[in-house]
Amino acid sequence: MAGAGMLRPIVAILVLAGTAVSVRAQEINDYPTSARAEYVFGCMKANGESRQSIEQCSCSIDVVASIIPYDRYVTAETVLSMAQVRGNLGGQFRSSEQAANALNDLRRAQAEAEVRCF
């Protein structure tokens, strides 16, 4: 029975370690599935609709997600969308320093993904 008593601290450590890994994975993987799917869909439209492009585009969003947090990604995607609007509203998104920084972050992450995945 002495062996069972010694296992309790080990089990507790393993549970805590597993929880820490799970939390870390959630922090890294904070992109919703729908956002990942949209990215892969758009990437495949640009790179061909093949099995190879699925692998490359899935890899690409994983790299992007590992580099920039989801809220920063949403900001950059919003800037890209709104910058296409004509007039003052679109101009504000095209000329904002915050918008430019968010876009630069996304472009750097995508460039890294290009190197790693394609």
Side-chain angles (χ1 to χ4, degrees):
M1 287 293 164
M6 292 188 68
L7 284 178
R8 286 186 191 139
I10 293 171
V11 170
I13 290 170
L14 291 175
V15 167
L16 289 174
T19 302
V21 169
S22 176
V23 169
R24 208 170 322 129
Q26 289 173 356
E27 289 171 0
I28 292 170
N29 189 14
D30 66 345
Y31 283 48
T33 302
S34 60
R36 288 177 179 268
E38 286 177 19
Y39 182 97
V40 170
F41 181 76
C43 176
M44 289 179 64
K45 286 293 185 187
N47 293 292
E49 297 176 9
S50 67
R51 179 70 188 154
Q52 181 179 4
S53 69
I54 291 172
E55 295 295 327
Q56 291 169 324
C57 294
S58 296
C59 171
S60 181
I61 189 58
D62 290 344
V63 171
V64 169
S66 74
I67 295 172
I68 59 174
Y70 181 65
D71 61 338
R72 191 72 169 166
Y73 174 81
V74 169
T75 300
E77 286 292 312
T78 302
V79 168
L80 285 172
S81 177
M82 293 303 295
Q84 296 176 19
V85 174
R86 295 181 184 188
N88 285 340
L89 183 60
Q92 291 173 5
F93 280 90
R94 289 187 292 274
S95 63
S96 160
E97 183 178 340
Q98 182 183 8
N101 290 337
L103 277 178
N104 287 336
D105 289 348
L106 178 59
R107 288 184 178 133
R108 279 191 289 274
Q110 287 176 323
E112 180 64 26
E114 181 81 19
V115 169
R116 291 190 203 176
C117 303
F118 288 86

